[in-house]
Amino acid sequence: MAMLAELLAPDTVGPAGHPSPGGRVVVSRFGPIVVGSESLIEVPNGLLGFGGLRSYALATLPDERFARFLVLQSLEDDAVAFLVQPLEPSSGLIAPSELEEACAALGIPFDDLVLLLIVAVRRQGDKAVLSVNLRAPLFVNAARRRAVQHVLASGSYPVRYVL
């Protein structure tokens, strides 16, 4: 996922809490993140349940304990942020043929694909259970910085795939 690095916002706030030139600090529910033009992602149709929000930034999380996750931060509503996990298309969790079919339908060249899974955190007793939505991943065209949450044609992928 070489294209993923091109989409990430800087992971630190600069001196005295100020962003680098051309950036701004967003106080996300996951902590302060720096948002620069290189991290912007447009979601023209919005995300499921959040159709009115279309402008996002992708960033690393301030807390190193969650290094395998990223945050997809709304730029229209600071209170809206999604924990996401990148998925290598070759991982086998989603059939490559289904990914290629979805990319063709969405007009995303497969080489420009960054695949993100939206993470849900649910409490079960005294522990947190993390799951991802395999049925409706976020297909990001890294070259165009545009994304679509696409429901896969096969109903065989769970909405709650426990990590």
Side-chain angles (χ1 to χ4, degrees), residues 68-124:
R68 74 183 212 188
F69 301 108
L70 300 171
V71 61
L72 185 65
Q73 175 64 53
S74 169
L75 298 177
E76 297 161 288
D77 184 343
D78 288 0
V80 176
F82 300 93
L83 197 59
V84 294
Q85 182 173 21
L87 179 67
E88 188 65 46
S90 62
S91 71
L93 279 178
I94 299 173
S97 61
E98 294 223 37
L99 294 176
E100 290 168 5
E101 182 180 310
C103 282
L106 298 171
I108 298 174
F110 196 76
D111 289 341
D112 293 342
L113 175 65
V114 170
L115 199 57
L116 300 174
L117 302 175
I118 297 177
V119 178
V121 181
R122 289 178 175 68
R123 285 267 174 225
Q124 286 188 346

Side-chain angles (χ1 to χ4, degrees), residues 8-160:
L8 287 174
D11 59 357
T12 58
V13 177
H18 298 290
S20 59
R24 69 179 175 118
V25 176
V26 174
V27 181
S28 167
R29 66 187 181 110
F30 297 106
I33 60 171
V34 176
V35 174
S37 60
E38 70 282 354
S39 66
L40 302 181
I41 298 175
E42 194 67 26
V43 185
N45 300 324
L47 298 174
L48 298 175
F50 295 87
L53 302 175
R54 294 182 170 88
S55 186
Y56 291 86
L58 189 63
T60 56
L61 289 160
D63 190 330
E64 290 182 18
R65 294 177 297 167
F66 305 109
R68 74 183 212 188
F69 301 108
L70 300 171
V71 61
L72 185 65
Q73 175 64 53
S74 169
L75 298 177
E76 297 161 288
D77 184 343
D78 288 0
V80 176
F82 300 93
L83 197 59
V84 294
Q85 182 173 21
L87 179 67
E88 188 65 46
S90 62
S91 71
L93 279 178
I94 299 173
S97 61
E98 294 223 37
L99 294 176
E100 290 168 5
E101 182 180 310
C103 282
L106 298 171
I108 298 174
F110 196 76
D111 289 341
D112 293 342
L113 175 65
V114 170
L115 199 57
L116 300 174
L117 302 175
I118 297 177
V119 178
V121 181
R122 289 178 175 68
R123 285 267 174 225
Q124 286 188 346
D126 60 343
K127 43 189 232 184
V129 176
L130 302 175
S131 63
V132 292
N133 184 342
L134 286 179
R135 187 165 305 157
L138 193 60
F139 285 74
V140 182
N141 181 332
R144 295 187 64 212
R145 300 186 184 283
R146 292 175 65 97
V148 175
Q149 188 174 15
H150 180 73
V151 178
L152 295 170
S154 170
S156 64
Y157 298 104
V159 173
R160 291 185 184 162

